[in-house]
Amino acid sequence: MTLSGAGDEVDAGFRRTDPRGASYENVFGGAPSFLRRRYTRDLDGFDVAVTGVPFDQAVTHRPGSRFGPRAIREASLLQAGDPPFGWPYDVLSEFAIADYGDMAFDYAKVHEVPARIEAHVGGILDAGCGAIVLGGDHFVTLPNLRAAAARHGPVALVHFDAHSDLWPDDDPERIDHGTFLYKAVKEGLVLPDASIQVGIRTTTPDQMGVHVVHAPDVHRQGPAEVAERVLSVVGDRPCWITFDIDCLDPAFAPGTGTPVWGGPATWQAAMILRDLAGLRLIGGDVVEVAPAYDTTGATAIAGAHVAVELLSLWGWTRRG
């Protein structure tokens, strides 16, 4: 896309022809695609796709994360048109990134949603693209992992959260955001000994073999040591990152359904994510952004930054 100056373009989400490079469209106008990437379902020529799954009917407490994908897209427009800060390469220029839009589903047929999500994300992976998913509640990660494992075998999982989501749930008909990892382990979708949780600050009777860095240890050890621990656990295995926004302390991300005090600050999360460069990332997701509980927009802003870091991590091992 050729730009003669800021303010000369509008609706880049539909009109841009070059999938690479910056966008200088006015923040306050135009179609709010993620980072002004082009909306498309044709992934020919694209490297990675960002997509929304606006599903929140598996929550235990406050609903509202169905509005997360829209809020994260809008918040992404607040980021500078320059290359993402702190990375020695520009993922926006080196890779063709698509906004794949949101997954369609019938909200009254909840039982159909898991298979729809798996097929939706699987279609992105089958196109040879990385997948960055904007939730939605944390249940959406289970079908994401089903799609990833069907194509790569069991994967390593890096799980940022206040909750372990390992509560027992052996009922195949239950759709619950608090049991996605329990089911993923039981189904053999993830490798527990190569998976790790960061920021946990709720009681978990059984870790099911998954490593954990509790929130107090994040504070005591510092971001660099936490990232080093994650890298040592995951190694060179294919990896999925899931980031529940309630991993962050509610002082930094109040717009979520199950806030828990004592979590990492945004600067700690940013440093940990940045230091994970080198992971063999297949894809990732950002979930549980419920914008109605945050009049400042800070939660969606944090979610958008996490998504950009996931894009940069995905591209790091694939850059030219």
Side-chain angles (χ1 to χ4, degrees):
M1 182 173 66
T2 301
L3 295 171
S4 57
D8 289 344
E9 295 289 335
V10 70
D11 291 332
F14 297 110
R15 300 176 61 194
R16 70 180 298 151
T17 56
D18 186 349
R20 293 174 172 83
S23 175
Y24 298 102
E25 185 173 333
N26 287 327
V27 170
F28 48 81
S33 62
F34 188 80
L35 294 178
R36 303 291 191 188
R37 303 302 98 178
R38 183 175 180 83
Y39 277 115
T40 181
R41 287 297 173 96
D42 180 3
L43 295 179
D44 185 34
F46 284 89
D47 301 303
V48 58
V50 179
T51 189
V53 179
F55 175 79
D56 70 353
Q57 288 158 274
V59 297
T60 50
H61 295 338
R62 303 188 299 189
S65 58
R66 67 181 61 185
F67 299 106
R70 181 180 297 172
I72 292 172
R73 283 188 176 96
E74 291 185 357
S76 77
L77 306 184
L78 297 173
Q79 298 191 31
D82 306 311
F85 174 77
W87 287 92
Y89 89 111
D90 180 9
V91 67
L92 303 180
S93 295
E94 288 206 25
F95 294 97
I97 303 169
D99 189 323
Y100 199 64
D102 287 348
M103 185 193 80
F105 63 96
D106 186 337
Y107 66 89
K109 295 183 178 179
V110 178
H111 63 284
E112 294 182 354
V113 170
R116 278 184 171 268
I117 298 173
E118 182 179 354
H120 182 79
V121 175
I124 294 173
L125 297 176
D126 285 342
C129 291
I132 306 299
V133 181
L134 312 177
D137 66 46
H138 216 159
F139 171 79
V140 307
T141 303
L142 179 59
N144 291 345
L145 292 171
R146 287 170 177 160
R151 290 151 182 86
H152 297 276
V155 300
L157 181 69
V158 180
H159 176 197
F160 292 84
D161 207 325
H163 315 84
S164 72
D165 296 340
L166 284 167
W167 286 281
D169 182 2
D170 294 305
D171 184 346
E173 295 184 356
R174 291 195 74 254
I175 298 175
D176 188 334
H177 72 158
T179 66
F180 91 85
L181 186 51
Y182 178 90
K183 290 189 172 182
V185 172
K186 287 282 191 175
E187 292 180 25
L189 306 177
V190 302
L191 301 165
D193 62 343
S195 298
I196 186 166
Q197 301 180 312
V198 177
I200 305 300
R201 49 196 186 276
T202 48
T203 302
T204 305
D206 184 0
Q207 279 292 136
M208 299 182 71
V210 177
H211 299 265
V212 61
V213 181
H214 292 102
D217 295 321
V218 173
H219 300 309
R220 293 189 186 101
Q221 297 171 11
E225 187 172 330
V226 172
E228 184 177 346
R229 172 86 187 283
V230 172
L231 291 172
S232 69
V233 168
V234 174
D236 64 352
R237 299 169 182 87
C239 174
W240 188 277
I241 294 179
T242 181
F243 197 108
D244 187 326
I245 208 68
D246 73 27
C247 175
L248 300 176
D249 190 271
F252 302 92
T256 191
T258 51
V260 183
W261 77 338
T266 50
W267 68 265
Q268 291 173 305
M271 291 181 69
I272 294 170
L273 286 168
R274 189 68 47 82
D275 284 348
L276 296 183
L279 290 177
R280 290 179 55 198
L281 198 64
I282 300 165
D285 55 59
V286 186
V287 297
E288 299 286 355
V289 172
Y293 307 113
D294 180 2
T295 58
T296 72
T299 309
I301 291 169
H305 277 285
V306 170
V308 172
E309 294 303 299
L310 295 182
L311 283 171
S312 297
L313 286 168
W314 179 89
W316 180 251
T317 56
R318 297 170 175 84
R319 69 195 189 284

